[in-house]
Structure formats: C-alpha cells, structure tokens
Amino acid sequence: MLPVITATRSAELWDCGVTDEGCAALASALRPNPSHLRKMHLSGNKLGDSGVKMISAVLENPHCKLEDLGFSNCGVTDEGCAALASALRSNPSHLRQLNLSGNNLGDSAVKMISAVLENPHCKLEKLQ
C-alpha cells in the first residue's frame, strides 16, 4: 500500500518490494497533481528500466516540483537513464538531487545525464 503523498510531500519507499507494477500505481497517483511531491526515494527496489520510465513520465510534467529523487540499487540501465535524461531535458528546473548509484549504467548513461547538466535551467546540485 502506498502512503498518502500529498500530505507529506515525501515518499520514502526504500527497499520495500516496490516493482514496476507499484511504479505504475505511483505514477498514476501522481499524474493528476504532481506539484505536491518534493522528495521520492525508491532505492533498493526492483524497478528496472520500466519503473524508471513510468516515474520519468511524471517528471516531464511542467507542474512536477520534485527536488530529490533516489533510484539507487534499482536495476536501472542505460535505457532507463535515457528516459530519465529525456524527462529532465523537458523539465530541468526543479530537481536538485538525483541518486543513481549502484545501478548498471554505462558510458552512454553518463553522457546523457552530463548533457542535461549543461542546460542553464538545470538546477541539479547533487548527482550520485
């Protein structure tokens, strides 16, 4: 069961068995009103690229105000990173912290995220 996000502005779902099915439910809940959530940590879950893609779709929304996002040890590869980089190119002005540590990211993922950092509107301050 997912927590009520709008009241807390934070979703701390570390290592609690969230899968891409849970990400679909979370993304669906956030889609109508993504402006309340400021922090979301999904680290240690088996999200894979499909889960990251679903959350990335929410990040593309210009009303999304997410500032801190954690996907460490989630099985993310370059494919999921590409979706995340695309979302950050679409809406670069809010995310301040991004944790992708412990994933299987190659050189192309690093290049995609680095390109996002070159955007003058990008506010990302901490990247792991």
Side-chain angles (χ1 to χ4, degrees):
M1 182 170 174
L2 295 175
V4 176
I5 297 168
T6 57
T8 64
R9 296 191 181 262
S10 176
E12 300 288 336
L13 301 168
W14 298 43
D15 197 21
C16 61
V18 177
T19 63
D20 59 347
E21 185 178 310
C23 275
L26 185 57
S28 178
L30 289 172
R31 231 174 263 121
N33 192 358
S35 65
H36 290 294
L37 193 64
R38 297 292 186 269
K39 180 178 183 179
M40 183 166 48
H41 284 245
L42 293 163
S43 299
N45 292 294
K46 301 203 182 300
L47 307 179
D49 293 325
S50 62
V52 172
K53 287 178 183 179
M54 288 179 240
I55 299 301
S56 295
V58 174
L59 289 173
E60 289 177 346
N61 186 323
H63 298 291
C64 181
K65 307 287 190 227
L66 197 63
E67 296 174 358
D68 184 351
L69 180 59
F71 283 128
S72 67
N73 299 304
C74 286
V76 182
T77 68
D78 291 3
E79 183 182 340
C81 197
L84 187 56
S86 175
L88 293 175
R89 279 191 303 274
S90 297
N91 185 13
S93 63
H94 293 288
L95 198 66
R96 305 239 185 292
Q97 295 184 50
L98 176 61
N99 187 342
L100 291 167
S101 64
N103 289 295
N104 191 19
L105 302 178
D107 290 339
S108 65
V110 173
K111 288 176 185 175
M112 286 182 265
I113 295 296
S114 296
V116 171
L117 294 173
E118 293 174 11
N119 183 331
H121 299 290
C122 180
K123 302 293 186 214
L124 199 60
E125 299 166 353
K126 185 175 182 182
L127 176 62
Q128 293 176 295

